[in-house]
Amino acid sequence: LGYEPGDVIGRNMLDLMTRDSRAAVEALVPHYRTGANRWRRRTIQFCHRDGSARTMISNARPIHDARGHVTGFRGAHHDDTERRAQEARIRQLVRIHTVLIAFGTQALLASHRQQVLDRACEVAVHEGGFSAALIATVGNDEALHFVARCGGDDVLRQIGHAGPIPLGAESRY
């Protein structure tokens, strides 16, 4: 987390957690104070010294005094941030690969240009998991014209334009 050991030894670890993780862990602490055993592989978000959030896998056990009361917790944390980022990137690449394969297949099966455009939008929605897909071309009037679309009506309605969108015009697109 970017701290020297002396900066965190004896410090309340809740102070180093993100707001959401702190609330979740605070809700669990009473359970562990009643003598429950250790926790294993809990995912907790900590704040790095540089301000970024780090995903840690936490393993800990309660520390008891002579009377059996919990006085604290001892454990270890493993930084899982990079692995999770790599996993997300792999999922994204698999999604892109799936879309490209499906599009390539549909392009070969299409009999004319419009069918290729329609199928490209369909693949993006049905294979790629997008809520909607639109394809536009630039017309002689220097405006964007939607030539293919696919997706839920509620999403497509939010686009709001049935007609051309002038280039350079202020728009939310």
Side-chain angles (χ1 to χ4, degrees):
L1 294 175
Y3 296 95
E4 294 296 321
D7 295 336
V8 293
I9 292 174
R11 187 170 173 187
N12 187 335
M13 295 309 292
L14 292 171
D15 294 339
L16 297 174
M17 293 179 191
T18 63
R19 189 176 308 183
D20 291 341
S21 280
R22 180 181 178 131
V25 170
E26 283 177 331
L28 291 172
V29 167
H31 171 72
Y32 289 106
R33 282 200 171 146
T34 61
N37 209 352
R38 64 186 66 204
W39 68 75
R40 293 176 194 251
R41 301 198 51 78
R42 284 216 177 267
T43 301
I44 301 173
Q45 293 280 319
F46 281 90
C47 298
H48 191 279
R49 188 176 203 155
D50 67 10
S52 65
R54 306 297 293 184
T55 302
M56 307 295 267
I57 302 299
S58 175
N59 297 290
R61 64 176 183 81
I63 300 170
H64 299 89
D65 64 14
R67 293 179 291 172
H69 296 106
V70 175
T71 58
F73 297 90
R74 175 169 290 157
H77 308 288
H78 168 77
D79 191 341
D80 201 38
T81 307
E82 191 62 34
R83 185 195 66 78
R84 287 171 179 259
Q86 289 172 347
E87 198 173 81
R89 180 70 176 142
I90 289 169
R91 280 193 306 273
Q92 179 186 29
L93 290 172
V94 166
R95 182 176 163 189
I96 290 168
H97 182 262
T98 301
V99 168
L100 290 173
I101 294 290
F103 175 70
T105 301
Q106 292 301 315
L108 290 173
L109 297 173
S111 59
H112 57 285
R113 180 179 181 268
Q114 187 60 48
Q115 198 173 33
V116 171
L117 298 175
D118 291 338
R119 287 185 176 172
C121 289
E122 291 168 10
V123 165
V125 171
H126 300 297
E127 300 290 331
F130 294 95
S131 299
L134 299 111
I135 296 175
T137 60
V138 178
N140 292 334
D141 58 354
E142 293 296 312
L144 292 176
H145 297 264
F146 292 114
V147 294
R149 63 186 80 209
C150 182
D153 289 335
D154 55 330
V155 176
L156 293 173
R157 251 193 311 276
Q158 291 178 22
I159 304 301
H161 283 285
I165 300 172
L167 290 177
E170 297 262 340
S171 85
R172 62 179 196 215
Y173 307 106

